[in-house]
Short mmCIF file of all heavy atoms in Angstrom, two decimals:
data_model
loop_
_atom_site.label_atom_id
_atom_site.label_comp_id
_atom_site.label_asym_id
_atom_site.label_seq_id
_atom_site.Cartn_x
_atom_site.Cartn_y
_atom_site.Cartn_z
N MET X 179 -28.31 9.34 -11.44
CA MET X 179 -27.19 9.65 -12.31
C MET X 179 -26.02 10.24 -11.54
O MET X 179 -24.90 10.17 -11.97
CB MET X 179 -27.68 10.60 -13.40
CG MET X 179 -26.66 10.85 -14.46
SD MET X 179 -26.43 9.38 -15.44
CE MET X 179 -25.37 10.01 -16.68
N GLY X 180 -26.27 10.82 -10.40
CA GLY X 180 -25.22 11.42 -9.60
C GLY X 180 -24.20 10.41 -9.13
O GLY X 180 -23.00 10.69 -9.11
N THR X 181 -24.66 9.23 -8.74
CA THR X 181 -23.75 8.19 -8.26
C THR X 181 -22.87 7.68 -9.39
O THR X 181 -21.67 7.47 -9.20
CB THR X 181 -24.53 7.03 -7.63
OG1 THR X 181 -25.36 7.55 -6.60
CG2 THR X 181 -23.61 6.00 -7.05
N ALA X 182 -23.45 7.48 -10.56
CA ALA X 182 -22.67 7.00 -11.70
C ALA X 182 -21.64 8.05 -12.12
O ALA X 182 -20.49 7.71 -12.44
CB ALA X 182 -23.59 6.68 -12.87
N ARG X 183 -22.03 9.30 -12.10
CA ARG X 183 -21.09 10.36 -12.46
C ARG X 183 -19.96 10.43 -11.44
O ARG X 183 -18.79 10.58 -11.80
CB ARG X 183 -21.81 11.70 -12.54
CG ARG X 183 -20.89 12.83 -12.94
CD ARG X 183 -21.64 14.12 -13.12
NE ARG X 183 -22.50 13.98 -14.29
CZ ARG X 183 -23.56 14.73 -14.53
NH1 ARG X 183 -23.88 15.67 -13.67
NH2 ARG X 183 -24.28 14.57 -15.60
N SER X 184 -20.29 10.31 -10.18
CA SER X 184 -19.27 10.32 -9.13
C SER X 184 -18.30 9.15 -9.28
O SER X 184 -17.09 9.32 -9.12
CB SER X 184 -19.95 10.27 -7.75
OG SER X 184 -19.00 10.17 -6.74
N ALA X 185 -18.83 7.98 -9.60
CA ALA X 185 -17.97 6.81 -9.80
C ALA X 185 -17.06 7.01 -11.00
O ALA X 185 -15.87 6.66 -10.95
CB ALA X 185 -18.84 5.57 -9.98
N ALA X 186 -17.58 7.59 -12.06
CA ALA X 186 -16.77 7.83 -13.26
C ALA X 186 -15.67 8.84 -12.99
O ALA X 186 -14.52 8.67 -13.43
CB ALA X 186 -17.66 8.29 -14.40
N VAL X 187 -16.00 9.88 -12.24
CA VAL X 187 -14.99 10.89 -11.90
C VAL X 187 -13.92 10.29 -11.00
O VAL X 187 -12.72 10.54 -11.18
CB VAL X 187 -15.66 12.12 -11.25
CG1 VAL X 187 -14.63 13.05 -10.63
CG2 VAL X 187 -16.51 12.86 -12.26
N THR X 188 -14.33 9.49 -10.03
CA THR X 188 -13.36 8.84 -9.14
C THR X 188 -12.44 7.93 -9.93
O THR X 188 -11.22 7.97 -9.77
CB THR X 188 -14.09 8.02 -8.05
OG1 THR X 188 -14.90 8.90 -7.29
CG2 THR X 188 -13.11 7.30 -7.15
N PHE X 189 -13.01 7.11 -10.80
CA PHE X 189 -12.22 6.19 -11.63
C PHE X 189 -11.22 6.96 -12.49
O PHE X 189 -10.03 6.66 -12.50
CB PHE X 189 -13.14 5.34 -12.50
CG PHE X 189 -12.41 4.43 -13.42
CD1 PHE X 189 -11.84 3.26 -12.97
CD2 PHE X 189 -12.29 4.75 -14.77
CE1 PHE X 189 -11.15 2.42 -13.82
CE2 PHE X 189 -11.61 3.91 -15.63
CZ PHE X 189 -11.04 2.76 -15.16
N ALA X 190 -11.70 7.96 -13.20
CA ALA X 190 -10.84 8.73 -14.10
C ALA X 190 -9.74 9.45 -13.33
O ALA X 190 -8.59 9.50 -13.78
CB ALA X 190 -11.67 9.71 -14.90
N SER X 191 -10.08 9.98 -12.16
CA SER X 191 -9.09 10.70 -11.36
C SER X 191 -7.98 9.77 -10.87
O SER X 191 -6.80 10.10 -10.98
CB SER X 191 -9.75 11.36 -10.15
OG SER X 191 -10.73 12.27 -10.56
N VAL X 192 -8.37 8.62 -10.36
CA VAL X 192 -7.37 7.68 -9.84
C VAL X 192 -6.48 7.18 -10.96
O VAL X 192 -5.25 7.15 -10.83
CB VAL X 192 -8.07 6.50 -9.11
CG1 VAL X 192 -7.09 5.38 -8.82
CG2 VAL X 192 -8.71 6.98 -7.83
N VAL X 193 -7.07 6.82 -12.08
CA VAL X 193 -6.27 6.33 -13.22
C VAL X 193 -5.33 7.42 -13.73
O VAL X 193 -4.15 7.17 -13.97
CB VAL X 193 -7.20 5.81 -14.35
CG1 VAL X 193 -6.41 5.52 -15.60
CG2 VAL X 193 -7.93 4.56 -13.89
N ALA X 194 -5.83 8.63 -13.87
CA ALA X 194 -5.00 9.72 -14.37
C ALA X 194 -3.82 10.00 -13.43
O ALA X 194 -2.68 10.17 -13.89
CB ALA X 194 -5.84 10.97 -14.55
N ILE X 195 -4.09 10.05 -12.14
CA ILE X 195 -3.02 10.31 -11.18
C ILE X 195 -1.96 9.22 -11.22
O ILE X 195 -0.75 9.49 -11.24
CB ILE X 195 -3.59 10.48 -9.76
CG1 ILE X 195 -4.36 11.78 -9.66
CG2 ILE X 195 -2.48 10.42 -8.71
CD1 ILE X 195 -5.20 11.91 -8.41
N LEU X 196 -2.39 7.97 -11.26
CA LEU X 196 -1.43 6.87 -11.30
C LEU X 196 -0.60 6.87 -12.58
O LEU X 196 0.61 6.62 -12.55
CB LEU X 196 -2.15 5.53 -11.13
CG LEU X 196 -2.70 5.26 -9.74
CD1 LEU X 196 -3.49 3.97 -9.73
CD2 LEU X 196 -1.59 5.21 -8.71
N LEU X 197 -1.24 7.16 -13.71
CA LEU X 197 -0.49 7.18 -14.97
C LEU X 197 0.47 8.37 -15.04
O LEU X 197 1.59 8.23 -15.56
CB LEU X 197 -1.46 7.19 -16.16
CG LEU X 197 -2.24 5.89 -16.35
CD1 LEU X 197 -3.18 6.01 -17.53
CD2 LEU X 197 -1.32 4.70 -16.51
N VAL X 198 0.08 9.51 -14.51
CA VAL X 198 0.99 10.66 -14.47
C VAL X 198 2.18 10.35 -13.57
O VAL X 198 3.33 10.67 -13.92
CB VAL X 198 0.24 11.93 -14.01
CG1 VAL X 198 1.20 13.04 -13.62
CG2 VAL X 198 -0.72 12.39 -15.09
N MET X 199 1.93 9.73 -12.44
CA MET X 199 3.03 9.37 -11.54
C MET X 199 3.95 8.35 -12.22
O MET X 199 5.18 8.45 -12.10
CB MET X 199 2.49 8.80 -10.23
CG MET X 199 1.71 9.80 -9.40
SD MET X 199 2.73 11.08 -8.72
CE MET X 199 3.61 10.17 -7.49
N GLN X 200 3.38 7.39 -12.90
CA GLN X 200 4.18 6.39 -13.62
C GLN X 200 5.06 7.06 -14.66
O GLN X 200 6.24 6.77 -14.78
CB GLN X 200 3.26 5.36 -14.29
CG GLN X 200 3.96 4.37 -15.18
CD GLN X 200 4.78 3.36 -14.44
OE1 GLN X 200 4.55 3.10 -13.27
NE2 GLN X 200 5.75 2.77 -15.11
N PHE X 201 4.49 7.98 -15.42
CA PHE X 201 5.26 8.67 -16.44
C PHE X 201 6.34 9.56 -15.83
O PHE X 201 7.45 9.65 -16.36
CB PHE X 201 4.33 9.51 -17.33
CG PHE X 201 5.04 10.13 -18.49
CD1 PHE X 201 5.41 9.35 -19.58
CD2 PHE X 201 5.35 11.47 -18.49
CE1 PHE X 201 6.08 9.91 -20.65
CE2 PHE X 201 6.01 12.04 -19.56
CZ PHE X 201 6.38 11.26 -20.65
N ALA X 202 6.02 10.19 -14.71
CA ALA X 202 6.99 11.08 -14.07
C ALA X 202 8.20 10.30 -13.55
O ALA X 202 9.34 10.78 -13.66
CB ALA X 202 6.33 11.82 -12.92
N PHE X 203 7.98 9.13 -13.01
CA PHE X 203 9.09 8.37 -12.42
C PHE X 203 9.80 7.48 -13.42
O PHE X 203 11.01 7.31 -13.36
CB PHE X 203 8.60 7.54 -11.23
CG PHE X 203 8.35 8.35 -10.01
CD1 PHE X 203 7.06 8.61 -9.60
CD2 PHE X 203 9.39 8.88 -9.27
CE1 PHE X 203 6.80 9.38 -8.47
CE2 PHE X 203 9.15 9.66 -8.14
CZ PHE X 203 7.86 9.90 -7.75
N GLU X 204 9.06 6.88 -14.34
CA GLU X 204 9.66 5.92 -15.27
C GLU X 204 9.93 6.50 -16.65
O GLU X 204 10.71 5.94 -17.41
CB GLU X 204 8.75 4.69 -15.42
CG GLU X 204 8.54 3.92 -14.13
CD GLU X 204 9.77 3.18 -13.67
OE1 GLU X 204 10.56 2.74 -14.52
OE2 GLU X 204 9.94 3.04 -12.43
N GLY X 205 9.23 7.56 -17.01
CA GLY X 205 9.41 8.15 -18.32
C GLY X 205 8.63 7.46 -19.42
O GLY X 205 8.74 7.81 -20.59
N GLU X 206 7.84 6.46 -19.07
CA GLU X 206 7.00 5.76 -20.04
C GLU X 206 5.80 5.15 -19.33
O GLU X 206 5.81 4.95 -18.13
CB GLU X 206 7.78 4.66 -20.75
CG GLU X 206 8.20 3.52 -19.84
CD GLU X 206 8.98 2.44 -20.56
OE1 GLU X 206 9.23 2.59 -21.77
OE2 GLU X 206 9.35 1.46 -19.92
N VAL X 207 4.77 4.90 -20.11
CA VAL X 207 3.59 4.23 -19.59
C VAL X 207 3.37 2.98 -20.45
O VAL X 207 3.18 3.09 -21.65
CB VAL X 207 2.35 5.15 -19.65
CG1 VAL X 207 1.10 4.39 -19.23
CG2 VAL X 207 2.55 6.37 -18.78
N THR X 208 3.44 1.84 -19.82
CA THR X 208 3.27 0.58 -20.55
C THR X 208 1.82 0.11 -20.43
O THR X 208 1.05 0.64 -19.62
CB THR X 208 4.20 -0.49 -19.99
OG1 THR X 208 3.86 -0.73 -18.62
CG2 THR X 208 5.66 -0.06 -20.07
N LEU X 209 1.49 -0.88 -21.22
CA LEU X 209 0.15 -1.47 -21.14
C LEU X 209 -0.08 -2.05 -19.75
O LEU X 209 -1.17 -1.91 -19.18
CB LEU X 209 -0.01 -2.55 -22.21
CG LEU X 209 -1.34 -3.30 -22.21
CD1 LEU X 209 -2.49 -2.34 -22.47
CD2 LEU X 209 -1.33 -4.40 -23.24
N ARG X 210 0.94 -2.66 -19.19
CA ARG X 210 0.82 -3.24 -17.85
C ARG X 210 0.50 -2.18 -16.80
O ARG X 210 -0.38 -2.37 -15.96
CB ARG X 210 2.11 -3.96 -17.49
CG ARG X 210 2.08 -4.59 -16.13
CD ARG X 210 3.37 -5.30 -15.83
NE ARG X 210 3.39 -5.77 -14.47
CZ ARG X 210 4.47 -6.00 -13.80
NH1 ARG X 210 5.65 -5.85 -14.35
NH2 ARG X 210 4.41 -6.42 -12.56
N SER X 211 1.19 -1.04 -16.86
CA SER X 211 0.92 0.01 -15.88
C SER X 211 -0.46 0.60 -16.09
O SER X 211 -1.13 0.98 -15.12
CB SER X 211 2.00 1.09 -15.93
OG SER X 211 2.05 1.69 -17.20
N ALA X 212 -0.93 0.69 -17.34
CA ALA X 212 -2.28 1.18 -17.60
C ALA X 212 -3.32 0.21 -17.05
O ALA X 212 -4.34 0.64 -16.49
CB ALA X 212 -2.48 1.38 -19.09
N LEU X 213 -3.09 -1.08 -17.20
CA LEU X 213 -4.03 -2.07 -16.66
C LEU X 213 -4.04 -2.06 -15.14
O LEU X 213 -5.10 -2.18 -14.52
CB LEU X 213 -3.68 -3.47 -17.19
CG LEU X 213 -3.93 -3.70 -18.67
CD1 LEU X 213 -3.40 -5.08 -19.07
CD2 LEU X 213 -5.39 -3.56 -19.01
N VAL X 214 -2.89 -1.89 -14.53
CA VAL X 214 -2.82 -1.80 -13.07
C VAL X 214 -3.56 -0.56 -12.60
O VAL X 214 -4.32 -0.60 -11.62
CB VAL X 214 -1.36 -1.82 -12.58
CG1 VAL X 214 -1.27 -1.44 -11.12
CG2 VAL X 214 -0.74 -3.18 -12.82
N ALA X 215 -3.36 0.55 -13.29
CA ALA X 215 -4.05 1.79 -12.92
C ALA X 215 -5.56 1.63 -13.04
O ALA X 215 -6.32 2.09 -12.19
CB ALA X 215 -3.56 2.95 -13.79
N ALA X 216 -6.01 0.95 -14.10
CA ALA X 216 -7.45 0.71 -14.28
C ALA X 216 -7.99 -0.19 -13.17
O ALA X 216 -9.09 0.05 -12.65
CB ALA X 216 -7.72 0.08 -15.64
N ALA X 217 -7.23 -1.20 -12.78
CA ALA X 217 -7.67 -2.09 -11.70
C ALA X 217 -7.77 -1.34 -10.38
O ALA X 217 -8.73 -1.51 -9.62
CB ALA X 217 -6.72 -3.27 -11.56
N VAL X 218 -6.80 -0.49 -10.10
CA VAL X 218 -6.84 0.30 -8.86
C VAL X 218 -8.00 1.29 -8.91
O VAL X 218 -8.67 1.53 -7.90
CB VAL X 218 -5.49 1.02 -8.63
CG1 VAL X 218 -5.57 1.99 -7.47
CG2 VAL X 218 -4.40 0.00 -8.38
N GLY X 219 -8.26 1.84 -10.09
CA GLY X 219 -9.41 2.74 -10.24
C GLY X 219 -10.72 2.04 -9.96
O GLY X 219 -11.59 2.58 -9.28
N LEU X 220 -10.87 0.83 -10.48
CA LEU X 220 -12.08 0.06 -10.20
C LEU X 220 -12.20 -0.28 -8.73
O LEU X 220 -13.28 -0.24 -8.15
CB LEU X 220 -12.09 -1.23 -11.04
CG LEU X 220 -12.38 -1.05 -12.52
CD1 LEU X 220 -12.22 -2.39 -13.24
CD2 LEU X 220 -13.76 -0.49 -12.75
N LEU X 221 -11.08 -0.61 -8.11
CA LEU X 221 -11.08 -0.91 -6.68
C LEU X 221 -11.50 0.31 -5.87
O LEU X 221 -12.28 0.20 -4.93
CB LEU X 221 -9.70 -1.39 -6.25
CG LEU X 221 -9.55 -1.82 -4.79
CD1 LEU X 221 -10.44 -3.02 -4.50
CD2 LEU X 221 -8.11 -2.15 -4.49
N SER X 222 -11.02 1.48 -6.26
CA SER X 222 -11.39 2.69 -5.53
C SER X 222 -12.88 3.00 -5.68
O SER X 222 -13.51 3.48 -4.75
CB SER X 222 -10.55 3.88 -6.00
OG SER X 222 -10.89 4.24 -7.31
N VAL X 223 -13.43 2.72 -6.86
CA VAL X 223 -14.87 2.93 -7.07
C VAL X 223 -15.68 1.97 -6.22
O VAL X 223 -16.72 2.33 -5.66
CB VAL X 223 -15.22 2.79 -8.57
CG1 VAL X 223 -16.71 2.71 -8.79
CG2 VAL X 223 -14.63 3.94 -9.36
N ALA X 224 -15.19 0.74 -6.08
CA ALA X 224 -15.91 -0.26 -5.28
C ALA X 224 -15.81 0.02 -3.79
O ALA X 224 -16.76 -0.21 -3.04
CB ALA X 224 -15.36 -1.66 -5.59
N VAL X 225 -14.67 0.51 -3.34
CA VAL X 225 -14.45 0.73 -1.91
C VAL X 225 -15.11 2.02 -1.43
O VAL X 225 -15.51 2.11 -0.27
CB VAL X 225 -12.93 0.73 -1.61
CG1 VAL X 225 -12.64 1.24 -0.21
CG2 VAL X 225 -12.37 -0.66 -1.79
N GLY X 226 -15.27 3.01 -2.29
CA GLY X 226 -15.83 4.30 -1.91
C GLY X 226 -17.15 4.21 -1.17
O GLY X 226 -17.28 4.75 -0.06
N PRO X 227 -18.17 3.54 -1.73
CA PRO X 227 -19.44 3.45 -1.01
C PRO X 227 -19.34 2.68 0.31
O PRO X 227 -20.01 3.02 1.28
CB PRO X 227 -20.35 2.69 -1.99
CG PRO X 227 -19.74 2.89 -3.33
CD PRO X 227 -18.26 3.01 -3.08
N LEU X 228 -18.49 1.67 0.35
CA LEU X 228 -18.31 0.93 1.60
C LEU X 228 -17.69 1.82 2.67
O LEU X 228 -18.09 1.78 3.84
CB LEU X 228 -17.42 -0.30 1.37
CG LEU X 228 -17.98 -1.35 0.43
CD1 LEU X 228 -16.94 -2.43 0.17
CD2 LEU X 228 -19.25 -1.96 1.00
N TRP X 229 -16.73 2.63 2.27
CA TRP X 229 -16.10 3.56 3.20
C TRP X 229 -17.11 4.57 3.73
O TRP X 229 -17.14 4.85 4.93
CB TRP X 229 -14.94 4.26 2.49
CG TRP X 229 -14.30 5.33 3.32
CD1 TRP X 229 -14.45 6.67 3.18
CD2 TRP X 229 -13.41 5.14 4.42
NE1 TRP X 229 -13.71 7.33 4.12
CE2 TRP X 229 -13.06 6.42 4.90
CE3 TRP X 229 -12.88 4.03 5.05
CZ2 TRP X 229 -12.20 6.61 5.97
CZ3 TRP X 229 -12.02 4.22 6.12
CH2 TRP X 229 -11.69 5.48 6.56
N GLU X 230 -17.92 5.13 2.85
CA GLU X 230 -18.92 6.11 3.28
C GLU X 230 -19.95 5.48 4.22
O GLU X 230 -20.37 6.10 5.19
CB GLU X 230 -19.63 6.72 2.06
CG GLU X 230 -18.75 7.64 1.26
CD GLU X 230 -18.25 8.82 2.08
OE1 GLU X 230 -19.00 9.35 2.91
OE2 GLU X 230 -17.08 9.19 1.89
N LYS X 231 -20.36 4.26 3.94
CA LYS X 231 -21.31 3.56 4.81
C LYS X 231 -20.69 3.33 6.19
O LYS X 231 -21.33 3.54 7.21
CB LYS X 231 -21.72 2.24 4.18
CG LYS X 231 -22.78 1.53 4.95
CD LYS X 231 -23.22 0.26 4.25
CE LYS X 231 -24.27 -0.45 5.07
NZ LYS X 231 -24.70 -1.69 4.44
N TRP X 232 -19.44 2.91 6.22
CA TRP X 232 -18.75 2.67 7.49
C TRP X 232 -18.62 3.98 8.27
O TRP X 232 -18.86 4.00 9.48
CB TRP X 232 -17.37 2.08 7.22
CG TRP X 232 -16.59 1.82 8.47
CD1 TRP X 232 -16.74 0.77 9.33
CD2 TRP X 232 -15.55 2.64 9.01
NE1 TRP X 232 -15.84 0.87 10.35
CE2 TRP X 232 -15.10 2.01 10.19
CE3 TRP X 232 -14.94 3.82 8.60
CZ2 TRP X 232 -14.08 2.54 10.96
CZ3 TRP X 232 -13.93 4.35 9.38
CH2 TRP X 232 -13.51 3.71 10.54
N ARG X 233 -18.27 5.07 7.58
CA ARG X 233 -18.14 6.36 8.26
C ARG X 233 -19.47 6.85 8.83
O ARG X 233 -19.51 7.39 9.93
CB ARG X 233 -17.61 7.41 7.28
CG ARG X 233 -16.12 7.45 7.23
CD ARG X 233 -15.61 8.61 6.42
NE ARG X 233 -16.32 9.84 6.67
CZ ARG X 233 -16.37 10.84 5.82
NH1 ARG X 233 -15.79 10.75 4.65
NH2 ARG X 233 -17.03 11.94 6.12
N SER X 234 -20.53 6.65 8.07
CA SER X 234 -21.83 7.12 8.57
C SER X 234 -22.33 6.28 9.75
O SER X 234 -23.03 6.79 10.61
CB SER X 234 -22.87 7.11 7.43
OG SER X 234 -23.15 5.79 7.02
N ASN X 235 -21.95 5.02 9.80
CA ASN X 235 -22.34 4.17 10.93
C ASN X 235 -21.56 4.50 12.20
O ASN X 235 -22.02 4.21 13.30
CB ASN X 235 -22.14 2.70 10.58
CG ASN X 235 -23.19 2.19 9.62
OD1 ASN X 235 -24.24 2.80 9.45
ND2 ASN X 235 -22.89 1.09 8.96
N ARG X 236 -20.38 5.08 12.06
CA ARG X 236 -19.56 5.40 13.23
C ARG X 236 -19.99 6.68 13.92
O ARG X 236 -19.54 6.96 15.02
CB ARG X 236 -18.09 5.53 12.80
CG ARG X 236 -17.56 4.22 12.29
CD ARG X 236 -16.21 3.86 12.64
NE ARG X 236 -15.48 4.68 13.56
CZ ARG X 236 -14.81 4.21 14.58
NH1 ARG X 236 -14.82 2.93 14.83
NH2 ARG X 236 -14.11 5.02 15.35
N ARG X 237 -20.84 7.46 13.29
CA ARG X 237 -21.26 8.75 13.87
C ARG X 237 -22.29 8.56 14.92
O ARG X 237 -23.02 7.79 15.16
CB ARG X 237 -21.80 9.67 12.81
CG ARG X 237 -20.72 10.12 11.89
CD ARG X 237 -21.27 11.04 10.85
NE ARG X 237 -20.28 11.18 9.80
CZ ARG X 237 -20.53 11.73 8.64
NH1 ARG X 237 -21.70 12.17 8.37
NH2 ARG X 237 -19.59 11.83 7.75
#
């Protein structure tokens, strides 16, 4: 359950940061920007374990 919780926290954090930045600069959040933020969040969840594996192999 730890891995799933970590993935959920990573996803939510990335999406929240991107949407806050979008709102700060544009003054609005559109459906398109929300979908882009969700896609980037999913990408970050997918890349995280690969990054950790690569880092541990370099040691």
Side-chain angles (χ1 to χ4, degrees):
M179 187 70 173
T181 304
R183 181 175 293 159
S184 175
V187 168
T188 299
F189 177 77
S191 300
V192 168
V193 170
I195 289 168
L196 289 175
L197 291 179
V198 165
M199 295 291 289
Q200 173 72 22
F201 186 75
F203 285 106
E204 298 290 328
E206 66 180 2
V207 175
T208 62
L209 178 61
R210 180 179 174 204
S211 60
L213 291 174
V214 168
V218 172
L220 287 174
L221 183 63
S222 69
V223 168
V225 168
L228 296 174
W229 175 256
E230 289 300 322
K231 185 177 179 181
W232 179 78
R233 272 188 43 203
S234 67
N235 287 342
R236 296 219 6 133
R237 291 181 194 168

